[in-house]
Amino acid sequence: MKNQTSKQLEINLGQRSYPILINPDGFDLAAIEPLWSGKKVLLVSNDVVAPLYAEAVIDALEGCDVKCCVLPDGEVHKNSTSWLAILDAMAAHGMTRTDLLVSLGGGVICDMTGFAAASWMRGIDFIQIPTTLLSQIDASVGGKTGINHAQGKNLIGAFHQPRAVIINTATLNTLPAREFAAGIGEAVKYGGINQAQFIDWLSTKQQAILEHSAVVLSELIAQCCAFKVQVVEQDEKEQGVRALLNLGHTFGHALETATNYQGYLHGEAVALGMVMAAELSYQLGYCDKQLRKTLENLLQGFGLPIKLDKEITADQLVRLMRLDKKVQSGKHRLILMKGLGQAFIETGVEESDLLNAIKACT
Ligand SMILES: NC(=O)c1ccc[n+]([C@@H]2O[C@H](COP(=O)([O-])OP(=O)(O)OC[C@H]3O[C@@H](n4cnc5c(N)ncnc54)[C@H](O)[C@@H]3O)[C@@H](O)[C@H]2O)c1
């Protein structure tokens, strides 16, 4: 460990193990030089992040034959057109199975770069350089890659682990405040799943987090990555416990689809989805009313939404939830809570229950 703000974690998945390096400044690619040295590299970013950080990353990849693929920004572009653009850029760069993709951006870029890496020549190496809080604590770690389909979010994808995750927390200083808050939505999720004490920690550190204290941010990111690592190590391909990471996501994906990915940011949708999950847990008798209140207070303190936008109806959301990958025989599989930090998988939720819970969150 270099100083108080530099941290290193390892995700242990046998041959697919990799380091997660957290630094307060700079892109620590020197630490993983064997992964990129002497290779052709395609750096995938977007038109917001590339002007800010691509040059620094290219400098850090000294001696590599690097080309850039700069995509249009936004969740609306997390689609097959962008994915094909990455593959076209790889072809133009003459990349082989031993070359390397590097993502530079938020979760959208991480997911699409990972999916391009998974599909090019049946799978090549890639490195994640996440630049939003959400992607630093969640999207860059764990190997879920993919793109959206018009029918729903992340319907096309693959499990493909990166070879390293390089986090430069200074990139968060250019992140819009609303995007930063959205990242907190995913952080609260970890607390809701199985880390009640982390909810207390987030409440205590709220001011320092909002002021971007480098020490606190580094601690926040390391704690979240450690939670995610623990879950992914137990269940890499989401056969069981990893599904808990979807707390708030089934409602959240429907919220994103309902607004064509333009109403709620992903982390905002997850935050509101968690409130709905807490309400449903209460209505089904699994927990008391206070759980929803505690979550709402914390989320609201970070500027996250806790009520459904008037333009979306409960019926519309439930219709969209039918398309979710987790619906089986008309019954919904959702992550509910028995209390803070006590999430569990509930199969067999009826649509009428979903409707009632959503209506109580308007
Ligand atoms: N694979 C997974 O396990 C996983 C987990 C959670 C979320 N996700 C996915 O992540 C996506 C959401 O990620 P996100 O919230 O990072 O959104 P995003 O990638 O759209 O980034 C948010 C915005 O911030 C901009 N940006 C990024 N870094 C910046 C910086 N340092 N300075 C200034 N602007 C910056 C982006 O260009 C974008 O406009 C969703 O598609 C979601 O499905 C995936």
Side-chain angles (χ1 to χ4, degrees):
M1 203 177 289
K2 285 185 216 153
N3 60 41
Q4 220 188 344
T5 43
S6 295
K7 299 191 185 302
Q8 174 161 0
L9 287 84
E10 181 84 16
I11 178 160
N12 293 304
L13 295 167
Q15 288 190 329
R16 294 180 306 289
S17 300
Y18 53 94
I20 301 166
L21 307 182
I22 305 167
N23 277 286
D25 206 3
F27 298 97
D28 193 8
L29 286 153
I32 53 159
E33 189 178 349
L35 290 179
W36 50 264
S37 179
K39 295 188 178 174
K40 282 189 178 175
V41 173
L42 184 74
L43 180 64
V44 181
S45 190
N46 69 28
D47 51 16
V48 170
V49 180
L52 296 170
Y53 302 112
E55 198 178 320
V57 171
I58 292 167
D59 285 351
L61 292 166
E62 203 188 340
C64 267
D65 181 3
V66 187
K67 291 270 187 289
C68 285
C69 172
V70 179
L71 299 164
D73 179 39
E75 182 78 36
V76 277
H77 296 289
K78 186 178 169 181
N79 56 24
S80 54
T81 307
S82 299
W83 169 68
L84 270 176
I86 303 173
L87 300 185
D88 287 347
M90 294 171 84
H93 195 18
M95 291 176 71
T96 67
R97 204 172 239 175
T98 54
D99 291 323
L100 182 75
L101 276 182
V102 177
S103 74
L104 174 68
V108 168
I109 291 293
C110 290
D111 280 9
M112 291 198 295
T113 307
F115 186 48
S119 25
W120 185 251
M121 300 191 175
R122 298 195 181 86
I124 70 162
D125 287 349
F126 77 113
I127 291 169
Q128 299 277 40
I129 307 185
T131 60
T132 60
L133 181 59
L134 186 142
S135 56
Q136 293 178 353
I137 65 169
D138 194 351
S140 62
V141 175
K144 268 194 185 179
T145 73
I147 53 175
N148 301 329
H149 184 274
Q151 289 287 314
K153 200 167 151 61
N154 295 333
L155 287 182
I156 307 165
F159 285 99
H160 188 57
Q161 299 292 344
R163 296 296 309 277
V165 179
I166 303 293
I167 297 172
N168 171 1
T169 60
T171 57
L172 299 178
N173 294 331
T174 55
L175 192 66
R178 188 176 160 203
E179 295 289 353
F180 183 83
I184 299 290
E186 292 276 13
V188 172
K189 176 191 81 176
Y190 292 118
I193 293 171
N194 62 359
Q195 310 287 333
Q197 76 290 356
F198 184 57
I199 297 282
D200 294 337
W201 186 88
L202 283 171
S203 304
T204 319
K205 302 289 182 191
Q206 182 175 322
Q207 197 55 32
I209 292 169
L210 290 171
E211 286 167 3
H212 287 210
S213 151
V215 175
V216 174
L217 277 186
S218 168
E219 181 62 31
L220 166 72
I221 294 163
Q223 288 195 68
C224 290
C225 287
F227 300 151
K228 181 142 188 192
V229 162
Q230 219 179 39
V231 174
V232 174
E233 282 178 352
Q234 284 178 62
D235 177 21
E236 186 183 358
K237 299 251 168 103
E238 201 171 310
Q239 308 289 309
V241 70
R242 186 168 180 175
L244 294 176
L245 292 174
N246 291 320
L247 175 61
H249 279 65
T250 308
F251 292 106
H253 285 171
L255 286 164
E256 287 184 88
T257 310
T259 53
N260 196 24
Y261 306 108
Q262 286 164 336
Y264 295 93
L265 300 177
H266 178 72
E268 292 176 336
V270 169
L272 179 51
M274 263 187 294
V275 172
M276 292 172 174
E279 176 62 29
L280 180 58
S281 304
Y282 164 68
Q283 289 193 8
L284 294 178
Y286 287 118
C287 65
D288 60 24
K289 235 181 159 88
Q290 184 55 34
L291 173 65
R292 175 175 166 189
K293 200 78 219 128
T294 306
L295 281 175
E296 282 184 337
N297 288 342
L298 184 63
L299 296 168
Q300 211 168 18
F302 282 103
L304 287 158
I306 55 169
K307 293 243 178 302
L308 183 64
D309 198 291
K310 287 188 181 57
E311 279 152 34
I312 309 167
T313 66
D315 292 291
Q316 189 186 358
L317 278 191
V318 170
R319 262 199 313 277
L320 288 164
M321 288 169 85
R322 272 182 216 145
L323 284 169
D324 194 277
K325 298 186 279 296
K326 294 170 275 298
V327 180
Q328 279 164 4
S329 315
K331 302 265 184 167
H332 293 253
R333 189 170 68 125
L334 272 102
I335 311 306
L336 300 183
M337 289 169 280
K338 292 185 177 157
L340 259 191
Q342 296 174 56
F344 67 101
I345 303 168
E346 170 68 293
T347 51
V349 177
E350 302 286 349
E351 288 200 349
S352 53
D353 296 327
L354 293 178
L355 265 177
N356 290 336
I358 295 168
K359 281 180 182 162
C361 296
T362 52

